Amino acid sequence: MIEIDWRPLIVLLTIAAFMLLWIVGCTIIADSGTRSSPTGYPQVTLTVGRIVVPAIPTDSPRPPEVNTAIRTSAPGSGYPSSPPLPSPVAQIAAIPMTPPICYAISAALTRCLGRVDNPLATAINGVSVRIRMLLRGEREIVRTAAIEQTVILPDGFAPYRVDFPVSVDEVTSVSVSLDSGEPDHDPSVVPLTVDDIRMSDDGGLRQVSAELVGTSMALMLNRALITLVDSQGYVYGYQVLQFQNQMIAPGERMTIRAQVQPQIDTTGLNAVVYVEARKP
């Protein structure tokens, strides 16, 4: 029996199989390299001399901040908003006004006395009022009067008076509104401190005296208003004093005197004295 030696054949087959696997493996690697796509890694940039801090991501994109006017929403519009702050002029126009008290001066003349209060945090000037008087027979008369006081300080007031050429018996009602006024921006007007106000009755006239106190600088006296009011603040009369080229020295104390005729001679009246000066 002839024996065949298979060992050389097995070695050749093993070598052939190894060569075939090697050729196929090289082909797969070459094909994968040509068809690869870019990866998701960012491109690296070297920056010399500074450090770049990456932006912190947010939950959602945010629009840039822009200074815009505040808008109010209509009822039921679905978003809350704050109303715009009123301007100083709008605040002045909204100052509440109390109707004046009117007195019979004669059979054909009626005088109305009132006051303009300033509840704002700023002084106002250029104030005038409009008085509307309704008469019998559906008639009316409208008068406009400027306030004689230059400046109305915060929490202060200024009196006014308006005369109408009618009998007080013809008057059915009187109303008042603010006709003009603006914030005071005149730094030259300086209100003076008033001390020791005294008042006495002299045959119906009120004799009023007050002591002015100078500031840290010399000032030119401008005018003084002496107003008679009752316990509720209603105006019964006032007097305006105009100074002519009169100075008040720093720290000087000066006494002024005036006579004021109330429209009705009554008890319980008080005198309010307001004095303003100007920087020379």
Side-chain angles (χ1 to χ4, degrees):
M1 182 177 181
I2 299 174
E3 294 183 359
I4 300 174
D5 189 2
W6 296 98
R7 288 177 293 180
L9 180 61
I10 293 174
V11 171
L12 290 175
L13 290 175
T14 302
I15 293 172
F18 174 78
M19 292 298 293
L20 178 63
L21 291 175
W22 181 77
I23 293 172
V24 172
C26 291
T27 304
I28 293 173
I29 293 173
D31 185 67
S32 298
T34 57
R35 295 184 181 178
S36 63
S37 60
T39 63
Y41 294 102
Q43 192 173 17
V44 178
T45 302
L46 295 179
T47 304
V48 180
R50 63 188 180 95
I51 299 176
V52 178
V53 180
I56 300 175
T58 59
D59 296 335
S60 59
R62 298 179 182 180
E65 294 184 1
V66 180
N67 293 326
T68 57
I70 299 175
R71 296 187 305 171
T72 57
S73 61
S77 59
Y79 65 93
S81 61
S82 301
L85 295 175
S87 66
V89 175
Q91 289 180 312
I92 292 173
I95 290 177
M97 300 287 292
T98 301
I101 298 179
C102 298
Y103 306 90
I105 302 301
S106 66
L109 184 63
T110 298
R111 173 168 295 170
C112 297
L113 290 172
R115 56 188 282 173
V116 178
D117 290 85
N118 180 14
L120 307 179
T122 181
I124 56 177
N125 62 15
V127 177
S128 63
V129 295
R130 181 182 297 270
I131 308 294
R132 183 170 177 261
M133 178 178 285
L134 296 180
L135 308 175
R136 292 179 182 175
E138 298 183 354
R139 296 176 297 154
E140 71 172 25
I141 302 177
V142 178
R143 290 282 188 273
T144 300
I147 300 299
E148 295 178 87
Q149 190 169 303
T150 305
V151 177
I152 306 179
L153 300 176
D155 296 324
F157 76 93
Y160 66 86
R161 59 172 160 249
V162 183
D163 291 339
F164 291 87
V166 296
S167 170
V168 73
D169 297 332
E170 296 290 320
V171 180
T172 60
S173 67
V174 180
S175 62
V176 61
S177 61
L178 203 62
D179 185 66
S180 66
E182 60 184 10
D184 179 58
H185 300 295
D186 187 358
S188 65
V189 178
V190 180
L192 293 181
T193 300
V194 179
D195 284 343
D196 195 21
I197 300 175
R198 300 185 181 185
M199 184 177 64
S200 60
D201 190 352
D202 183 13
L205 288 174
R206 300 300 193 270
Q207 305 288 340
V208 180
S209 66
E211 192 172 52
L212 313 183
V213 181
T215 64
S216 60
M217 66 180 73
L219 297 172
M220 181 75 70
L221 294 176
N222 186 21
R223 70 184 63 186
L225 280 89
I226 299 92
T227 308
L228 301 180
V229 298
D230 64 8
S231 59
Q232 295 181 334
Y234 288 105
V235 177
Y236 279 71
Y238 70 92
Q239 181 69 37
V240 180
L241 299 181
Q242 294 284 354
F243 298 96
Q244 297 295 329
N245 300 323
Q246 188 168 354
M247 302 287 295
I248 182 169
E252 180 183 358
R253 303 184 75 91
M254 180 186 300
T255 300
I256 61 172
R257 294 179 174 84
Q259 291 183 339
V260 186
Q261 175 69 58
Q263 293 301 320
I264 297 178
D265 188 10
T266 183
T267 59
L269 298 181
N270 298 311
V272 178
V273 180
Y274 167 83
V275 181
E276 60 188 20
R278 287 187 176 272
K279 298 177 182 179

